[in-house]
Amino acid sequence: MRLRDKVALITGGARGIGKATVELFEREGAKVHACDLSFDDELTSKNVVRHKLDVTDFENWTAVVEAIIGEDGRIDILFNNAGTVLSYDGIAEIAIDDWNKVIAINQTGPFYGMKVVIPHMKTNGGGSIVNTSSIWGIAGAAGVSAYTASKAAVRYMSKNAALTYVGDGIRVNSIHPGIISTPMIDAQDSSITAAIVNITPMKRLGRPEEIAYGALFLASDESSFMTGAELVIDGGYTAP
């Protein structure tokens, strides 16, 4: 029960890494508010509450957070996990609409989440924020221009928030998954997936629960001396 009596908000909570984290946080004792645009299965747990949330909509963020505060009085953990690749194009080729959509989801979404949640964390004496970046927020990659730009921004936005709010008892860290077996990865061209797996030293896809356990560590008091840090879980991809 590593999160006993904690209140957690998780975006992208319907599938993939987000779903695995919702399930793990609940098992570890948290009251979990799972947020996404839609959910695929029936709700079976009394300790998980679902909210429809478009992370690119600031008013939607405000309404969801106010509902959580109204129900539970606080938010101890914010896991900004929702994200998308959408376009594999380089800077010269990517459509402007695709660029704007990726930035809105991957970068502005976590910004909105922190902007709305941090004041409540300050009032309640602190909290832990975990932002999902990527190996491509650390290492370069050809193509995927909007994705890499947004994930690098998340990395440094996390450091900024960590340093700005450390005096308020708020810890902010980023998590950097390698290639993980999720619906988003399943939907991409298999040749892209194979190429990334081939240069990953462990030669396999990661599992969503392997990232969820990293998020659990950062969210819990076990990581109480960590803020502004990057937790890389990538099968060795960034080691060379």
Side-chain angles (χ1 to χ4, degrees), residues 162-224:
L163 295 174
T164 302
Y165 301 105
V166 65
D168 297 297
I170 299 170
R171 298 186 300 107
V172 188
N173 296 286
S174 56
I175 194 165
H176 297 257
I179 188 162
I180 309 300
S181 180
T182 65
M184 184 172 73
I185 295 302
D186 293 343
Q188 78 179 3
D189 190 307
S190 60
S191 65
I192 297 173
T193 301
I196 299 170
V197 169
N198 187 55
I199 57 176
T200 297
M202 285 191 175
K203 303 297 183 186
R204 68 170 175 86
L205 295 170
R207 299 185 297 274
E209 58 267 27
E210 292 176 308
I211 308 304
Y213 274 105
L216 172 63
F217 172 66
L218 293 177
S220 75
D221 294 337
E222 295 166 6
S223 59
S224 57

Side-chain angles (χ1 to χ4, degrees), residues 29 38 47 67 70-71 76 80 87 90 102 135 140 145 153 161 165 168 180 193 208 212-213 237 239:
S38 63
N47 291 320
E71 180 173 339
D76 302 300
N80 279 311
S87 172
V102 173
I135 49 174
S145 55
Y165 301 105
D168 297 297
I180 309 300
T193 301
Y213 274 105
Y237 181 96

Side-chain angles (χ1 to χ4, degrees), residues 83-132:
T84 186
V85 176
L86 184 65
S87 172
Y88 295 85
D89 291 332
I91 288 172
E93 294 79 24
I94 190 170
I96 296 297
D97 285 349
D98 287 348
W99 173 275
N100 289 336
K101 185 172 183 179
V102 173
I103 297 300
I105 294 170
N106 293 359
Q107 180 177 341
T108 305
F111 161 68
Y112 283 166
M114 290 193 289
K115 183 172 179 61
V116 177
V117 170
I118 284 173
H120 295 288
M121 286 186 169
K122 290 173 69 175
T123 298
N124 291 318
S128 177
I129 297 173
V130 183
N131 294 320
T132 298

Side-chain angles (χ1 to χ4, degrees), residues 4 7-8 13 50 56 59 62 69 75 78 88-89 101 112 154 160 169 171 183 195 205:
R4 183 187 296 275
V7 178
R50 291 179 173 176
T56 71
E59 291 183 358
T62 300
I69 296 299
I75 295 173
L78 170 63
Y88 295 85
D89 291 332
K101 185 172 183 179
Y112 283 166
V154 167
N160 174 271
R171 298 186 300 107
L205 295 170

